[in-house]
Every structure is written in C-alpha cells, then in structure tokens.
Coordinates of all heavy atoms in Angstrom, one line a residue:
M1 N 73.0 165.4 105.4 CA 71.6 165.5 105.6 C 71.4 165.0 107.0 O 72.1 164.2 107.5 CB 71.0 164.6 104.5 CG 69.6 165.0 104.2 SD 68.7 164.1 102.9 CE 69.8 162.8 102.3
H2 N 70.3 165.4 107.5 CA 69.9 165.0 108.9 C 68.6 164.2 108.9 O 67.7 164.5 108.1 CB 69.7 166.3 109.7 CG 69.2 166.1 111.1 ND1 67.9 166.3 111.5 CD2 69.9 165.8 112.2 CE1 67.8 166.1 112.8 NE2 69.0 165.7 113.2
A3 N 68.5 163.2 109.8 CA 67.3 162.4 109.9 C 66.8 162.5 111.3 O 67.5 162.5 112.3 CB 67.6 161.0 109.6
R4 N 65.5 162.7 111.4 CA 64.8 162.6 112.8 C 63.6 161.7 112.6 O 62.8 161.9 111.8 CB 64.4 164.0 113.2 CG 63.5 164.0 114.5 CD 63.3 165.3 115.0 NE 64.4 165.5 116.0 CZ 64.4 166.5 116.9 NH1 63.4 167.3 117.0 NH2 65.4 166.6 117.7
L5 N 63.6 160.7 113.5 CA 62.5 159.8 113.5 C 61.9 159.8 114.9 O 62.6 159.8 115.9 CB 63.0 158.4 113.2 CG 63.5 158.2 111.8 CD1 65.0 158.3 111.7 CD2 63.0 156.9 111.2
K6 N 60.6 159.7 115.0 CA 59.9 159.7 116.3 C 59.0 158.4 116.4 O 58.3 158.1 115.4 CB 59.0 160.9 116.4 CG 58.3 161.0 117.7 CD 57.5 162.3 117.9 CE 56.9 162.4 119.3 NZ 56.6 161.3 120.1
T7 N 59.2 157.8 117.4 CA 58.4 156.6 117.7 C 57.4 157.0 118.8 O 57.4 158.1 119.3 CB 59.3 155.4 118.3 OG1 59.8 155.8 119.5 CG2 60.4 155.1 117.3
P8 N 56.5 156.1 119.3 CA 55.6 156.5 120.3 C 56.3 156.9 121.6 O 55.7 157.6 122.4 CB 54.8 155.2 120.5 CG 54.8 154.5 119.2 CD 56.2 154.8 118.7
C9 N 57.5 156.5 121.8 CA 58.2 156.8 123.1 C 59.4 157.7 123.0 O 59.7 158.4 123.9 CB 58.7 155.5 123.7 SG 57.3 154.3 124.0
N10 N 60.2 157.6 121.9 CA 61.5 158.3 121.8 C 61.6 159.0 120.5 O 60.9 158.8 119.5 CB 62.6 157.3 122.1 CG 62.7 156.9 123.5 OD1 63.0 157.7 124.4 ND2 62.3 155.7 123.8
V11 N 62.7 159.7 120.4 CA 63.1 160.4 119.2 C 64.5 160.0 118.9 O 65.4 159.9 119.8 CB 63.0 162.0 119.3 CG1 63.6 162.7 118.1 CG2 61.6 162.4 119.7
G12 N 64.8 159.8 117.6 CA 66.2 159.4 117.2 C 66.6 160.5 116.2 O 65.9 160.9 115.3
D13 N 67.9 160.9 116.3 CA 68.5 161.9 115.4 C 69.8 161.3 114.9 O 70.5 160.7 115.6 CB 68.8 163.2 116.1 CG 67.6 164.0 116.4 OD1 66.9 164.5 115.4 OD2 67.3 164.2 117.6
G14 N 70.0 161.4 113.6 CA 71.3 160.9 113.0 C 71.6 161.6 111.7 O 70.9 162.5 111.2
L15 N 72.6 161.1 111.1 CA 73.0 161.6 109.8 C 72.4 160.7 108.7 O 72.4 159.5 108.9 CB 74.6 161.6 109.6 CG 75.3 162.4 110.6 CD1 76.8 162.2 110.4 CD2 74.9 163.9 110.5
A16 N 71.9 161.3 107.7 CA 71.2 160.5 106.6 C 71.9 160.7 105.3 O 72.4 161.8 105.0 CB 69.8 160.9 106.5
S17 N 72.0 159.7 104.5 CA 72.5 159.8 103.1 C 71.7 159.0 102.2 O 71.1 158.0 102.6 CB 74.0 159.4 103.1 OG 74.1 158.1 103.4
L18 N 71.6 159.5 101.0 CA 70.9 158.7 99.9 C 72.0 158.2 98.9 O 72.7 159.0 98.4 CB 69.9 159.6 99.2 CG 68.8 160.2 100.1 CD1 67.9 161.1 99.3 CD2 68.0 159.1 100.7
D19 N 72.1 156.9 98.7 CA 73.1 156.4 97.9 C 72.3 155.5 96.8 O 71.9 154.4 97.2 CB 74.0 155.5 98.7 CG 75.1 154.9 97.8 OD1 75.3 155.3 96.7 OD2 75.7 153.9 98.3
G20 N 72.2 156.0 95.6 CA 71.4 155.3 94.6 C 69.9 155.3 95.0 O 69.3 156.3 95.0
S21 N 69.4 154.2 95.5 CA 68.0 154.1 95.9 C 67.9 153.5 97.3 O 66.9 152.8 97.6 CB 67.2 153.2 94.9 OG 67.8 151.9 94.9
A22 N 68.9 153.9 98.2 CA 68.8 153.4 99.6 C 69.1 154.6 100.5 O 69.9 155.5 100.2 CB 69.8 152.3 99.8
L23 N 68.3 154.6 101.6 CA 68.5 155.6 102.7 C 69.4 154.9 103.7 O 69.0 153.8 104.2 CB 67.1 156.0 103.3 CG 67.2 156.7 104.6 CD1 67.7 158.1 104.4 CD2 65.8 156.8 105.2
T24 N 70.4 155.6 104.1 CA 71.3 155.1 105.2 C 71.3 156.1 106.3 O 71.6 157.3 106.1 CB 72.7 154.8 104.7 OG1 72.6 153.9 103.6 CG2 73.6 154.3 105.8
V25 N 71.0 155.7 107.5 CA 71.1 156.6 108.7 C 72.2 156.1 109.6 O 72.3 154.9 110.0 CB 69.8 156.6 109.5 CG1 69.9 157.5 110.7 CG2 68.6 157.0 108.6
T26 N 73.1 157.0 109.9 CA 74.3 156.6 110.8 C 74.3 157.6 112.0 O 73.7 158.6 112.0 CB 75.6 156.8 110.0 OG1 75.8 158.1 109.5 CG2 75.6 155.8 108.8
R27 N 75.2 157.2 112.9 CA 75.4 158.0 114.1 C 74.1 158.4 114.8 O 73.8 159.5 115.2 CB 76.2 159.3 113.8 CG 77.6 158.9 113.3 CD 78.5 160.1 113.0 NE 78.7 160.8 114.2 CZ 79.2 162.0 114.2 NH1 79.6 162.6 113.1 NH2 79.4 162.6 115.4
L28 N 73.2 157.4 114.9 CA 71.9 157.6 115.4 C 71.9 157.7 117.0 O 72.5 156.9 117.6 CB 70.9 156.4 115.1 CG 69.5 156.5 115.5 CD1 68.8 157.7 114.7 CD2 68.8 155.2 115.2
A29 N 71.4 158.8 117.5 CA 71.3 159.1 118.9 C 69.8 159.0 119.3 O 69.0 159.7 118.6 CB 71.9 160.4 119.3
V30 N 69.5 158.2 120.2 CA 68.1 158.0 120.6 C 67.8 158.4 122.0 O 68.6 158.1 122.9 CB 67.7 156.5 120.4 CG1 66.2 156.3 120.8 CG2 67.9 156.1 118.9
S31 N 66.8 159.1 122.3 CA 66.4 159.5 123.7 C 66.1 158.2 124.4 O 65.9 157.1 123.8 CB 65.2 160.4 123.7 OG 64.1 159.9 123.1
A32 N 66.1 158.2 125.8 CA 66.1 157.0 126.6 C 64.8 156.9 127.5 O 64.9 156.4 128.6 CB 67.3 156.9 127.4
K33 N 63.7 157.3 127.0 CA 62.5 157.2 127.7 C 62.0 155.8 127.7 O 62.0 155.1 126.7 CB 61.4 158.1 127.1 CG 60.1 158.1 127.8 CD 59.2 159.1 127.1 CE 57.8 158.9 127.6 NZ 56.8 159.7 126.9
G34 N 61.6 155.3 128.9 CA 61.0 153.9 128.9 C 59.7 153.8 128.2 O 59.0 154.8 127.9
C35 N 59.4 152.6 127.8 CA 58.2 152.4 127.0 C 57.6 151.0 127.3 O 58.3 150.0 127.5 CB 58.8 152.3 125.6 SG 57.9 152.7 124.2
S36 N 56.3 151.0 127.4 CA 55.6 149.7 127.6 C 55.1 149.1 126.3 O 55.0 149.9 125.3 CB 54.5 149.9 128.7 OG 53.6 150.8 128.2
E37 N 54.7 147.9 126.3 CA 54.1 147.3 125.1 C 52.7 147.8 124.8 O 52.0 148.2 125.8 CB 54.0 145.7 125.3 CG 55.3 145.1 125.5 CD 56.3 145.2 124.3 OE1 55.8 145.4 123.1 OE2 57.5 145.1 124.5
P38 N 52.3 147.9 123.6 CA 52.9 147.5 122.4 C 53.9 148.5 121.8 O 54.6 148.2 120.9 CB 51.8 147.2 121.4 CG 50.8 148.2 121.8 CD 50.9 148.4 123.3
A39 N 53.9 149.7 122.4 CA 54.8 150.8 121.9 C 56.2 150.4 121.8 O 57.0 150.7 120.9 CB 54.6 152.1 122.7
A40 N 56.7 149.6 122.8 CA 58.1 149.2 122.9 C 58.4 148.3 121.7 O 59.5 148.4 121.1 CB 58.4 148.5 124.2
A41 N 57.5 147.5 121.3 CA 57.7 146.6 120.1 C 57.8 147.5 118.8 O 58.6 147.2 117.9 CB 56.6 145.6 120.0
Y42 N 56.9 148.5 118.7 CA 57.0 149.4 117.5 C 58.3 150.1 117.5 O 58.9 150.2 116.4 CB 55.8 150.4 117.6 CG 54.4 149.9 117.7 CD1 53.5 150.6 118.3 CD2 54.1 148.6 117.1 CE1 52.2 150.1 118.4 CE2 52.8 148.1 117.2 CZ 51.8 148.9 117.9 OH 50.6 148.4 118.0
E43 N 58.7 150.6 118.6 CA 60.0 151.3 118.7 C 61.2 150.4 118.3 O 62.0 150.7 117.5 CB 60.2 151.8 120.0 CG 61.6 152.6 120.1 CD 61.6 153.4 121.4 OE1 60.9 154.4 121.4 OE2 62.4 153.1 122.2
H44 N 61.2 149.2 118.8 CA 62.3 148.2 118.5 C 62.3 147.9 117.0 O 63.4 147.9 116.3 CB 62.1 146.9 119.3 CG 63.1 145.9 119.1 ND1 64.4 146.0 119.6 CD2 63.1 144.7 118.4 CE1 65.1 144.9 119.2 NE2 64.3 144.2 118.5
W45 N 61.1 147.7 116.4 CA 61.0 147.5 115.0 C 61.6 148.6 114.2 O 62.3 148.5 113.2 CB 59.6 147.2 114.6 CG 59.4 146.9 113.2 CD1 59.5 145.6 112.6 CD2 59.1 147.8 112.1 NE1 59.2 145.7 111.2 CE2 59.0 147.0 110.9 CE3 58.8 149.1 112.1 CZ2 58.7 147.6 109.7 CZ3 58.6 149.7 110.8 CH2 58.5 149.0 109.7
T46 N 61.2 149.9 114.6 CA 61.7 151.1 113.9 C 63.2 151.2 113.8 O 63.8 151.4 112.8 CB 61.0 152.3 114.5 OG1 59.6 152.2 114.4 CG2 61.5 153.6 113.7
W47 N 63.8 151.0 115.0 CA 65.3 151.2 115.1 C 65.9 150.1 114.3 O 67.0 150.3 113.7 CB 65.8 151.2 116.5 CG 65.1 152.3 117.4 CD1 64.8 152.2 118.7 CD2 64.8 153.7 117.0 NE1 64.2 153.4 119.1 CE2 64.3 154.3 118.1 CE3 64.9 154.4 115.8 CZ2 63.8 155.7 118.1 CZ3 64.5 155.7 115.8 CH2 64.0 156.4 116.9
N48 N 65.4 148.9 114.3 CA 65.9 147.8 113.5 C 65.8 148.0 112.0 O 66.7 147.7 111.3 CB 65.3 146.4 113.9 CG 65.9 145.8 115.1 OD1 67.0 146.1 115.5 ND2 65.1 145.1 115.8
L49 N 64.7 148.6 111.6 CA 64.5 148.9 110.2 C 65.5 149.8 109.7 O 66.1 149.6 108.6 CB 63.1 149.5 110.0 CG 62.8 149.9 108.5 CD1 62.6 148.7 107.6 CD2 61.5 150.8 108.5
I50 N 65.8 150.9 110.4 CA 66.8 151.9 109.9 C 68.2 151.6 110.3 O 69.1 152.3 110.0 CB 66.4 153.3 110.3 CG1 66.4 153.5 111.8 CG2 65.1 153.7 109.7 CD1 66.5 154.9 112.2
G51 N 68.4 150.4 111.0 CA 69.8 150.0 111.4 C 70.6 149.6 110.2 O 71.8 149.4 110.4
A52 N 70.0 149.4 109.1 CA 70.7 149.0 107.8 C 70.2 149.9 106.7 O 69.1 150.4 106.9 CB 70.5 147.5 107.5
P53 N 70.9 150.0 105.6 CA 70.4 150.8 104.5 C 69.0 150.3 104.1 O 68.7 149.1 104.1 CB 71.4 150.6 103.4 CG 72.7 150.3 104.1 CD 72.2 149.5 105.3
V54 N 68.1 151.3 103.9 CA 66.7 151.0 103.5 C 66.4 151.4 102.1 O 66.4 152.5 101.8 CB 65.7 151.7 104.5 CG1 64.3 151.4 104.1 CG2 66.0 151.4 105.9
P55 N 66.2 150.4 101.2 CA 65.8 150.7 99.8 C 64.5 151.5 99.8 O 63.6 151.3 100.6 CB 65.6 149.3 99.2 CG 66.4 148.4 100.0 CD 66.3 148.9 101.4
Y56 N 64.4 152.5 98.9 CA 63.2 153.3 98.8 C 62.8 153.5 97.4 O 63.7 153.4 96.5 CB 63.4 154.6 99.6 CG 64.3 155.6 98.9 CD1 63.9 156.5 97.9 CD2 65.7 155.6 99.2 CE1 64.7 157.3 97.3 CE2 66.5 156.4 98.5 CZ 66.1 157.3 97.6 OH 67.0 158.1 97.0
T57 N 61.6 153.9 97.2 CA 61.1 154.4 95.9 C 60.2 155.6 96.2 O 59.6 155.7 97.3 CB 60.2 153.3 95.1 OG1 59.1 153.0 95.9 CG2 61.0 152.1 94.8
Y58 N 60.2 156.5 95.2 CA 59.4 157.7 95.4 C 58.8 158.1 94.0 O 59.5 158.2 93.0 CB 60.2 158.9 95.9 CG 59.4 160.2 96.1 CD1 58.4 160.3 97.0 CD2 59.7 161.3 95.3 CE1 57.7 161.4 97.2 CE2 59.0 162.5 95.5 CZ 58.0 162.5 96.4 OH 57.3 163.7 96.6
D59 N 57.5 158.2 94.0 CA 56.8 158.5 92.7 C 56.2 159.9 92.6 O 55.4 160.2 91.7 CB 55.7 157.5 92.4 CG 54.5 157.6 93.4 OD1 54.5 158.5 94.2 OD2 53.7 156.7 93.3
G60 N 56.7 160.8 93.5 CA 56.2 162.1 93.5 C 55.1 162.4 94.5 O 54.8 163.5 94.9
A61 N 54.4 161.3 94.9 CA 53.3 161.4 95.9 C 53.5 160.4 97.0 O 53.0 160.6 98.1 CB 52.0 161.2 95.3
T62 N 54.1 159.3 96.8 CA 54.3 158.2 97.7 C 55.8 157.8 97.9 O 56.4 157.6 96.9 CB 53.5 157.0 97.3 OG1 52.1 157.4 97.2 CG2 53.6 155.9 98.4
L63 N 56.2 157.8 99.1 CA 57.6 157.4 99.4 C 57.4 156.0 100.1 O 56.7 155.9 101.1 CB 58.3 158.3 100.4 CG 59.6 157.9 101.0 CD1 60.7 157.7 99.9 CD2 60.1 158.9 102.0
T64 N 58.1 155.0 99.6 CA 58.0 153.7 100.2 C 59.4 153.2 100.5 O 60.3 153.2 99.7 CB 57.3 152.7 99.1 OG1 56.1 153.2 98.7 CG2 57.2 151.3 99.7
W65 N 59.5 152.8 101.8 CA 60.7 152.1 102.3 C 60.4 150.6 102.3 O 59.4 150.2 102.9 CB 61.1 152.5 103.7 CG 61.5 153.9 103.9 CD1 61.7 154.9 102.9 CD2 61.7 154.5 105.1 NE1 62.1 156.0 103.5 CE2 62.1 155.9 104.9 CE3 61.7 154.1 106.5 CZ2 62.4 156.8 105.9 CZ3 62.0 155.0 107.5 CH2 62.3 156.3 107.2
T66 N 61.3 149.8 101.7 CA 61.0 148.3 101.7 C 62.3 147.6 102.0 O 63.3 147.9 101.3 CB 60.5 147.9 100.3 OG1 59.3 148.6 100.1 CG2 60.2 146.4 100.3
S67 N 62.3 146.7 102.9 CA 63.5 145.9 103.2 C 63.0 144.6 103.7 O 61.8 144.3 103.9 CB 64.4 146.6 104.3 OG 63.9 146.4 105.6
A68 N 64.0 143.7 104.0 CA 63.6 142.4 104.6 C 62.9 142.5 105.9 O 62.2 141.6 106.4 CB 64.9 141.5 104.7
R69 N 63.1 143.7 106.6 CA 62.5 143.9 107.9 C 61.1 144.4 107.8 O 60.3 144.4 108.8 CB 63.3 144.9 108.7 CG 64.7 144.3 109.0 CD 65.5 145.3 109.8 NE 66.8 144.7 110.2 CZ 68.0 145.1 109.8 NH1 68.1 146.0 108.9 NH2 69.0 144.5 110.2
G70 N 60.6 144.9 106.6 CA 59.3 145.3 106.5 C 59.1 146.5 105.5 O 60.1 146.8 104.8
T71 N 57.9 147.0 105.4 CA 57.6 148.1 104.5 C 56.9 149.2 105.2 O 56.1 149.0 106.0 CB 56.8 147.6 103.3 OG1 57.5 146.6 102.6 CG2 56.4 148.7 102.4
V72 N 57.3 150.5 104.9 CA 56.7 151.7 105.4 C 56.3 152.5 104.2 O 57.1 152.8 103.3 CB 57.6 152.5 106.3 CG1 56.9 153.7 106.9 CG2 58.1 151.6 107.5
V73 N 55.0 153.0 104.2 CA 54.6 153.8 103.1 C 54.2 155.2 103.6 O 53.4 155.3 104.6 CB 53.3 153.2 102.4 CG1 52.8 154.1 101.3 CG2 53.7 151.8 101.8
F74 N 54.7 156.3 103.0 CA 54.4 157.6 103.4 C 53.7 158.3 102.2 O 54.2 158.2 101.1 CB 55.7 158.5 103.6 CG 56.6 157.9 104.7 CD1 57.6 157.0 104.4 CD2 56.4 158.3 106.0 CE1 58.4 156.5 105.4 CE2 57.2 157.8 107.0 CZ 58.2 156.9 106.7
R75 N 52.5 158.9 102.5 CA 51.7 159.5 101.4 C 51.5 161.0 101.7 O 51.3 161.3 102.9 CB 50.4 158.8 101.2 CG 50.5 157.4 100.7 CD 49.2 156.8 100.3 NE 49.3 155.5 99.7 CZ 49.3 154.4 100.3 NH1 49.0 154.3 101.6 NH2 49.4 153.2 99.7
R76 N 51.4 161.8 100.7 CA 51.1 163.2 100.9 C 49.6 163.3 101.3 O 48.8 162.6 100.9 CB 51.3 164.0 99.6 CG 52.7 164.3 99.4 CD 52.7 165.3 98.3 NE 53.9 165.2 97.5 CZ 54.3 166.1 96.7 NH1 53.6 167.2 96.5 NH2 55.4 166.0 96.1

C-alpha cells in the first residue's frame, strides 16, 4: 500500500501497512521545501506522528489516529 501525506510545506510518500489496528508508514521520502513558523511546527509534528506505528479506529464515517504524540480525526 502507498501513503501520501501533505503538510503546509511539503509532501511525503512512503509504504504503508495495516497491522491489526495500527498504521505503519516506512521508507518515507519527503520533499525539501523550506518552511516558516507556524507551518514548520505543524510539519515537524506530522512527521513525528507517523514516525512510529499509529493506532487507528474507523467506524465507517470517522477515521481516528491516536498515539502518545496526539490525535487526528478524519471525517467524511
């Protein structure tokens, strides 16, 4: 599976896998556009969040990623 994440400044592409109830992104390649604050902080947080397996839940309408680094909620 393929993962693509976009931050305010850059795009990251990598391999994604679902193992039980966790999303793991590996071999992440990120573009290298410079970024000023606060966007740089958002970007740093995003790459740190997916730098380790991210537990998730999905109820058919809402996908929630939750880890010690934070929570992201995606809704249809």
Side-chain angles (χ1 to χ4, degrees):
M1 205 173 6
H2 178 257
R4 173 169 269 195
L5 292 98
K6 183 171 184 337
T7 67
C9 301
N10 288 290
V11 175
D13 287 294
L15 299 177
S17 63
L18 299 175
D19 180 17
S21 60
L23 166 69
T24 302
V25 178
T26 58
R27 298 181 62 191
L28 185 66
V30 178
S31 58
K33 180 179 171 188
C35 205
S36 59
E37 296 299 335
Y42 302 150
E43 179 164 293
H44 181 75
W45 182 87
T46 301
W47 304 141
N48 280 331
L49 176 70
I50 64 162
V54 180
Y56 70 89
T57 59
Y58 180 64
D59 66 8
T62 303
L63 171 65
T64 305
W65 293 353
T66 303
S67 77
R69 295 179 172 114
T71 299
V72 180
V73 178
F74 303 91
R75 292 189 175 96
R76 283 191 207 194

